[in-house]
Amino acid sequence: MKSLFSRGKRNSRPAKIMNASILRSSFERRTVLIGTVQGGIGILLAARMGYLAIAENEKYRLESESNRVNLTLIPPRRGWILDRNGAPLASNRADFRVDIIPERLKDPEGTIARIGALLALEPSRIADIKDKVAGARGFQPVEVASGLNYDQFAALSVRLPDLQGVVPQRGFSRFYPTASSVGHLIGYVGPASAEEYEKDPNPLLITPGYKIGKDGLEKQFEKELRGVPGARRVEVTASGRIVRDLETREDIQGEPVRLTIDGPLQDYAARRIGLESGSVVVMDCRTGDLLCMASMPSFDPNSFSDGIGSVEYAMLRDDERVPLRNKVLKGLYPPGSTVKPMVSMALMEQGIDPKETVYCGGGLRVGNRVFGCWNRRGHGAVDMAKGIYQSCDVYFYAMAQRVGMDPIAAMARRCGMGQEFPLPVTSQFYGTVPDPEWKMKKWGREWQTFDTVNATIGQGYMLSSPLQLAVMASRLATGRHVMPRLTLDTKPKGFDNIDFPSEQVEYVRQAMSDVVNGPGTAGRARLPIDGVQLAGKTGTAQVVSLSISNGKSGPWKYRDHGLFIFFAPYDNPRYAGAVVIEHGGGSGAAYPIARDVMTFLFDPAKGMEALTALEKQWGGTAQQRLDARYAAYAAERGAAVSRPPRRDEEIFDRVEAEARVAAAQSQAIADDVIAPRPEANPSGTPPVSAPVEPPAATETQAPVVPEAAPAPAPVTDGGTAQ
């Protein structure tokens, strides 16, 4: 046992000696180590704080400021669109409005319902807002209402902390004083779409309350009309409540655009079209100024700019008279007998003596077909002047075969048909001037004699727009290459080019004067103004075969178009124009409108007297009738209509496609024997009392030709030139 205890003592470690000196030394080493670490950390923190305070000072100062201060853009006021006399066709008016930013809404359904209750919105309007919010990009503002009164604006403003994503504001909205009278011409504005923002990622485009041009001149002059935005800095609390205004930089309004349009004449012409569907174009022969480009029925651009509802859009979409189509630029029609003065110019250019006569016995055989004249009894011996003022078809059938189609087609183009004019418009259809080369290229078929016969009376494949007809009238009246212009800062063009010899111009002028003031087909178009005589040419265009309609009765879409080209005073032309009435039953629907429009131009008081009497019979002005139609439509179908397209481009595409289909309707009978139609009284326009005058010649129905007509030509692409 002893030896065991002895070995244990030898292997054990010696005990560590601890005293005060050793403990103090150990503590001091640890203190230095910890102090060094703490000092390093302190130096790092100080360096970081110094970096943040000096190098990053501007960054964090701005972030701090942004928490305290909100900076918002102020949408600029759009430039005004003015008529030739400086009167506004599109202006701005101060109002209160409210928008919604979808991505900021916490409870979209509840918020919209609450806003609807506060503003007393109709259920259809609330449904429209919900649809727009559901389909909009998160950042894209959705307009709820504009034109609010102060009480409504205040009721929303005091509840803003509970209405996240709702943006009430004071600003300016677009206003069109004459409403539907300028709908097609001026266009309208609206919030930028997501596609438009992607093309131009400008923060201004997603600023609540800012709108851009969507159609018409509003779109075409967007750069000029768009101003410079302002800015507003306000101090806010953490919840977003405004404490005080800090600084405001005013916006700069866009530049005005001054048109050649005569505002009162534009409004008068639109209203005078009345219950019909059609267009009126008036030009200044001396400058080419477009004084009037009225297309009716139309739409109220104020509704589109405020965000058109589903009920109103459905009413416009379902109307067979297509109020969304600009008929001045996108309406294509067979010009009918309005081309006869132009054809006469081509005949004289080819050496035809205007005094040479053709016997009209009521028709003319061409090959194995008989082409009738509108006067079944015939006109007897007919020279060129009588062929114009009596609108004898047989004269032009015979003479056109002698010269062929090529010189007639060339003259038509010189007179403006088939042409596209350099105007600031989004698009225009330019119709068809057919000739042998065109037919072979388009249809792969040879030109036939009957093609010339049909074209020489403005039927067959020939198509033109009301604007082209007005240009043709101005060039025939002056003998010069008048070019239309739409803005006053555009230099007049074409007046240094003389298209026709003066003696030929004078001859055609006199013949067109006799249409109205002599033994012609439009005696009721005489102006009730001493010393001013109107000259013109009537036209009735067949759109379907005789087996479907006689052109005067039956379904509206099967009735003939009525046309009238004109200028005045006839001996010293100052104004020229065209009236086209869709499916009006004949030229009798067109020339009374031309008469009243020109009466207003020379004597506004007398013109307004006639219009006032008519509007009492029609049930009010064009805008009043549109409002009444909307109220009736909404009451009948308001709960069962589909929403409008989300993109304006869908509307434009649909309207353009429908216009092309409508233009192709008349070309489907291009190979048929055209039986010239009789004149017809205005189908929807009550006649105006006029002074007693000698009876005018009246076109009567041509006899039906027994020979079978070939199958209709295939539907074309809407008449655009190829």
Side-chain angles (χ1 to χ4, degrees), residues 78-151:
R78 288 180 71 80
W80 286 19
I81 300 178
L82 307 172
D83 79 348
R84 63 188 302 105
N85 299 311
L89 299 175
S91 59
N92 307 310
R93 61 180 177 185
D95 72 349
F96 296 107
R97 57 177 291 115
V98 59
D99 296 280
I100 285 177
I101 310 297
E103 66 183 4
R104 300 180 189 174
L105 295 175
K106 293 183 177 179
D107 178 16
E109 293 283 334
T111 301
I112 294 172
R114 189 171 181 186
I115 294 174
L118 288 172
L119 302 182
L121 299 179
E122 296 179 356
S124 61
R125 179 58 182 165
I126 295 175
D128 286 339
I129 295 170
K130 290 180 179 179
D131 284 341
K132 291 178 180 179
V133 168
R137 299 285 182 91
F139 56 79
Q140 186 179 359
V142 173
E143 180 175 322
V144 174
S146 62
L148 304 178
N149 59 44
Y150 181 77
D151 291 339

Side-chain angles (χ1 to χ4, degrees), residues 178 180-181 264 266-275 296 596 600 607-626 684-688:
T178 53
S180 58
S181 295
Q266 173 79 18
D267 185 52
Y268 183 92
R271 291 166 60 184
R272 180 57 186 85
I273 293 173
L275 306 180
M296 296 297 284
D596 289 349
F600 177 82
M608 282 304 303
E609 182 181 354
L611 178 61
T612 301
L614 290 171
E615 289 185 330
K616 287 181 180 178
Q617 301 176 48
W618 295 336
T621 66
Q623 187 60 38
Q624 289 169 344
R625 296 196 305 273
L626 180 62
T685 307
V688 178

Side-chain angles (χ1 to χ4, degrees), residues 202 319 457 514 648 658 706:
N202 186 336
D319 191 336
I457 61 167
D514 288 341
D648 294 88
E658 290 174 346

Side-chain angles (χ1 to χ4, degrees), residues 353-376:
D353 184 352
K355 295 180 181 179
E356 182 180 349
T357 62
V358 171
Y359 180 78
C360 173
L364 181 69
R365 179 170 292 278
V366 179
N368 62 350
R369 304 183 186 186
V370 175
F371 286 77
C373 182
W374 66 265
N375 186 345
R376 69 179 65 184

Side-chain angles (χ1 to χ4, degrees), residues 552-575:
K552 293 190 298 181
S553 59
W556 177 80
K557 65 181 180 179
Y558 295 149
R559 300 177 191 175
D560 297 337
H561 298 315
L563 307 95
F564 188 66
I565 63 171
F566 58 89
F567 56 86
Y570 102 90
D571 53 349
N572 185 24
R574 175 65 190 274
Y575 306 109

Side-chain angles (χ1 to χ4, degrees), residues 484-697:
R485 67 169 187 161
L486 192 52
T487 56
L488 289 176
D489 59 0
T490 303
K491 184 179 179 181
K493 299 178 181 178
F495 293 90
D496 53 343
N497 298 328
I498 299 176
D499 277 349
F500 316 114
S502 59
E503 63 273 11
Q504 295 179 8
V505 172
E506 184 61 34
Y507 186 89
V508 170
R509 272 189 202 165
Q510 182 60 56
M512 293 179 70
S513 174
D514 288 341
V515 171
V516 178
N517 307 297
T521 56
R524 285 200 299 147
R526 296 176 188 174
L527 297 182
I529 301 173
D530 293 336
V532 180
Q533 289 189 330
L534 179 73
K537 184 66 191 80
T538 56
T540 297
Q542 181 178 335
V543 296
V544 294
S545 67
L546 283 170
S547 62
I548 297 177
S549 171
N550 65 3
K552 293 190 298 181
S553 59
W556 177 80
K557 65 181 180 179
Y558 295 149
R559 300 177 191 175
D560 297 337
H561 298 315
L563 307 95
F564 188 66
I565 63 171
F566 58 89
F567 56 86
Y570 102 90
D571 53 349
N572 185 24
R574 175 65 190 274
Y575 306 109
V579 176
V580 178
I581 300 301
E582 293 181 328
H583 310 294
S587 60
Y591 59 72
I593 295 174
R595 174 200 61 207
D596 289 349
V597 168
M598 294 305 287
T599 299
F600 177 82
L601 193 54
F602 287 102
D603 189 341
K606 189 170 290 187
M608 282 304 303
E609 182 181 354
L611 178 61
T612 301
L614 290 171
E615 289 185 330
K616 287 181 180 178
Q617 301 176 48
W618 295 336
T621 66
Q623 187 60 38
Q624 289 169 344
R625 296 196 305 273
L626 180 62
D627 293 340
R629 282 184 56 225
Y630 171 73
Y633 189 94
E636 180 183 356
R637 302 182 58 185
V641 297
S642 58
R643 63 175 181 79
R646 299 188 188 278
R647 298 170 58 251
D648 294 88
E649 289 76 12
E650 294 178 30
I651 299 177
F652 304 150
D653 291 344
R654 173 174 177 163
V655 170
E656 184 156 324
E658 290 174 346
R660 294 186 182 279
V661 172
Q665 181 183 26
S666 61
Q667 288 197 331
I669 58 170
D671 289 344
D672 289 3
V673 176
I674 301 299
R677 304 292 208 183
E679 290 288 359
N681 290 324
S683 60
T685 307
V688 178
S689 57
V692 177
E693 57 195 17

